């Protein structure tokens, strides 16, 4: 087999890349080791930046997102017995976020790729990267071979793409946090219209949602915590303790559908390219989920790679491909800092003494009383503008080479 772009991973990054390339007349094959059912049910991020929403709508996969997504024009920071709203609509006019689960984005993209005749292969075994440092890279899987011009590694932190790069090529930056998030998906109407980020002496809590009938909650717990130690009753009791801290607020409870513990870490591998292998999304970087940046960074990477590949196929120039890693990393490191900042602002650390706790509260007071500080939070949360816009509404590259040329 031969294609122009071989894509490893059928998460949001790989599927969106495949679809954007298709709209430009560039062929791709997507290889995914999990089943379609698994990737469409995998609960992950749910807060989409303004630019992510605009990208999906422009790609023609935003109809259900527009219909079912919950548009949020602010968030609440809750601490010290009071709630403080950060109003996006006033601080960054015209910019919002939309709550729409990652699994819903994946469903929309899978449907779009299959409807367009896209080659998306699930339950593919033993994907291996070959000759990425040459101009003839290829992938092998299940006894088959896929020749391609370029390989896109969109297969997540534990995928094969990054691990296939020779030792010493990448510089890895990593920070592990001394706590984790216990995440809960519950069949209960949200108790608030917007996300609540709560800082308490017992630890952080987040009230989020996925739909008008389903809510998402997170609790800060010690790193390495075992989910079996958290029966439903204990989860609801702790959520009430951390969230019912302002007058008149009562947390609604209901059936817990899913729960699990996620470690907190920051990770960046650079450069995000090795020869003809380009890393995107979690394959190259991970952020603590406090800033809601993971999925949005993946979309930003894919936008840059789409533009670079389109330009290369249309003109033969490698300029944008050569700039791919540096362009992406500027946004990645900004998101790393914002995610670290939100995490340290709202979580309790075992090493903190009374001095450190008072500094944290002082910083929260500043963010909630200073328009300049609140604007910094708001503009990072809704998503900074992209360095470049995708070419006008998704044209086909005029001289894109087909796979058999």
């Amino acid at each position: 087999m031969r294609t122009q772009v071989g894509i490893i991973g059928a998460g949001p990054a790989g599927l969106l890349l495949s679809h954007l390339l298709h709209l430009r007349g560039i062929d791709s094959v997507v290889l995914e080791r999990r089943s379609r059912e698994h990737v469409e049910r995998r609960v992950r991020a749910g807060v989409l930046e303004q630019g992510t929403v605009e990208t999906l709508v422009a790609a023609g996969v935003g109809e259900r997102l527009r219909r079912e997504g919950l548009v949020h024009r602010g968030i609440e920071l809750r601490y010290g017995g009071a709630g403080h709203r950060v109003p996006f609509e006033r601080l960054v006019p015209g910019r919002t976020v939309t709550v729409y689960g990652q699994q819903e984005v994946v469903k929309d993209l899978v449907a779009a790729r299959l409807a367009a005749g896209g080659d998306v292969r699930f339950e593919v075994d033993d994907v291996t990267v070959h000759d990425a440092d040459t101009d003839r890279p290829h992938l092998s899987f299940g006894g088959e071979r896929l020749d391609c011009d370029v390989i896109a590694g969109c297969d997540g932190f534990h995928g094969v793409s990054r691990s296939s790069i020779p030792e010493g090529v990448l510089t890895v930056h990593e920070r592990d946090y001394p706590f984790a998030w216990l995440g809960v998906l519950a069949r209960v109407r949200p108790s608030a219209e917007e996300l609540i980020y709560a800082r308490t002496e017992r630890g952080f809590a987040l009230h989020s949602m996925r739909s008008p009938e389903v809510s998402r909650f997170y609790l800060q717990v010690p790193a390495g915590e075992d989910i079996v130690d958290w029966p439903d009753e204990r989860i609801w009791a702790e959520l009430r303790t951390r969230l019912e801290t302002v007058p008149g607020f009562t947390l609604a409870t209901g059936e817990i559908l899913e729960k699990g513990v996620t470690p907190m870490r920051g990770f960046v591998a650079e450069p995000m390219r090795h020869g003809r292998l380009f890393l995107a999304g979690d394959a190259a970087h991970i952020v603590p989920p406090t800033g809601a940046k993971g999925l949005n960074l993946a979309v930003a990477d894919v936008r840059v790679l789409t533009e670079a590949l389109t330009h290369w196929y249309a003109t033969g120039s490698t300029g944008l491909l050569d700039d791919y890693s540096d362009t992406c990393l500027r946004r990645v490191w900004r998101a790393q800092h914002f995610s670290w900042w939100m995490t340290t602002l709202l979580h309790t650390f075992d090493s903190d003494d009374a001095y450190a706790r008072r500094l944290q509260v002082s910083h929260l007071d500043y963010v909630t009383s200073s328009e300049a500080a609140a604007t910094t939070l708001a503009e990072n949360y809704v998503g900074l503008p992209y360095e470049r816009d995708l070419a006008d509404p998704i044209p086909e590259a005029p001289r894109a080479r087909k796979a058999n040329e």
Side-chain angles (χ1 to χ4, degrees):
M1 290 187 300
R2 174 162 180 78
T3 192
Q4 289 174 284
V5 182
I7 300 173
I8 310 173
L15 292 167
L16 180 60
L17 176 62
S18 178
H19 194 60
L20 292 175
L21 293 176
H22 160 73
L23 294 170
R24 288 162 175 73
I26 299 171
D27 298 329
S28 67
V29 174
V30 181
L31 305 177
E32 168 60 49
R33 70 185 182 92
R34 301 283 194 172
S35 68
R36 177 179 176 180
E37 179 183 18
H38 178 89
V39 300
E40 290 186 341
R41 290 174 59 89
R42 187 166 45 195
V43 177
R44 290 289 187 273
V47 177
L48 307 184
E49 294 177 354
Q50 178 84 25
T52 296
V53 172
E54 292 171 354
T55 300
L56 294 171
V57 170
V61 292
E63 180 180 350
R64 196 162 65 93
L65 163 62
R66 286 295 202 198
R67 186 174 66 249
E68 300 177 11
L70 306 176
V71 177
H72 286 201
R73 295 174 172 81
I75 59 172
E76 179 185 325
L77 301 181
R78 183 173 292 187
Y79 69 99
H84 307 266
R85 186 170 184 264
V86 180
F88 301 155
E89 73 273 25
R90 180 170 61 80
L91 298 170
V92 281
R95 309 283 290 177
T96 62
V97 296
T98 299
V99 174
Y100 189 69
Q102 175 175 308
Q103 71 275 19
E104 305 306 322
V105 173
V106 168
K107 290 175 189 175
D108 296 340
L109 287 167
V110 169
R113 294 306 304 122
L114 297 182
D119 193 343
V120 182
R121 305 187 180 201
F122 297 98
E123 300 182 80
V124 174
D125 294 327
D126 301 323
V127 177
T128 306
V129 177
H130 303 273
D131 301 328
D133 56 351
T134 75
D135 61 359
R136 295 176 179 270
H138 71 276
L139 297 169
S140 63
F141 59 97
E144 299 190 60
R145 172 176 171 139
L146 176 65
D147 291 293
C148 43
D149 301 325
V150 167
I151 298 170
C154 306
D155 51 344
F157 182 77
H158 298 289
V160 302
S161 298
R162 189 181 70 254
S163 61
S164 70
I165 297 175
E167 186 175 352
V169 171
L170 299 178
T171 299
V172 171
H173 308 273
E174 192 166 13
R175 169 162 295 183
D176 291 321
Y177 290 82
F179 41 75
W181 271 16
L182 189 158
V184 173
L185 192 70
R187 195 187 312 279
V188 58
R189 292 184 64 83
S191 301
E193 294 182 356
E194 296 176 338
L195 276 69
I196 301 172
Y197 287 77
R199 183 264 183 201
T200 77
E201 292 298 322
R202 296 179 63 88
F204 168 78
L206 173 61
H207 174 292
S208 183
M209 60 284 294
R210 287 295 178 268
S211 75
E213 294 78 32
V214 176
S215 297
R216 185 78 164 151
F217 303 96
Y218 295 97
L219 286 168
Q220 176 187 348
V221 297
E225 193 81 340
D226 193 333
I227 193 62
V228 302
D229 295 328
W230 286 86
D232 295 359
E233 296 78 9
R234 183 185 178 192
I235 291 173
W236 287 123
E238 192 63 30
L239 283 168
R240 284 194 296 268
T241 299
R242 299 189 195 185
L243 290 169
E244 291 181 347
T245 57
V246 299
F249 179 83
T250 301
L251 180 68
T253 62
E255 177 191 3
I256 291 182
L257 305 173
E258 294 183 19
K259 57 185 174 181
V261 175
T262 301
M264 299 278 282
R265 70 162 43 134
F267 175 91
V268 181
E270 52 184 11
M272 292 170 55
R273 174 189 183 181
H274 174 60
R276 293 285 184 93
L277 169 63
F278 295 82
L279 303 179
D282 287 0
H285 44 73
I286 289 178
V287 290
T290 325
K293 293 299 166 210
L295 170 59
N296 296 295
L297 280 180
V299 170
D301 292 347
V302 164
R303 285 175 55 101
V304 176
L305 187 53
T306 297
E307 183 183 35
L309 288 170
T310 301
H311 185 69
W312 179 48
Y313 279 118
T315 68
S317 170
T318 65
L320 294 185
L321 286 174
D322 294 339
D323 290 342
Y324 169 74
S325 182
D326 287 343
T327 301
C328 291
L329 284 169
R330 281 192 289 273
R331 191 179 192 91
V332 166
W333 278 111
R334 174 87 295 276
Q336 287 283 338
H337 180 266
F338 177 66
S339 300
W340 165 85
W341 180 76
M342 286 282 285
T343 301
T344 55
L345 184 67
L346 293 161
H347 291 71
T348 57
F349 290 76
D350 291 341
S351 59
D352 286 353
D353 54 18
Y355 181 86
R357 299 288 176 92
R358 291 290 289 144
L359 286 178
Q360 187 181 46
V361 172
S362 174
H363 198 168
L364 280 164
D365 287 341
Y366 176 61
V367 170
T368 56
S369 62
S370 162
E371 182 139 333
T375 300
T376 295
L377 189 158
E379 68 180 4
N380 280 273
Y381 196 93
V382 301
L384 298 173
Y386 297 121
E387 288 196 10
R388 302 185 182 96
D389 289 331
L390 287 170
D392 278 343
I394 324 245
E396 180 175 335
R399 293 170 49 201
R401 292 178 289 147
K402 294 300 180 183
N404 60 358
E405 291 182 335

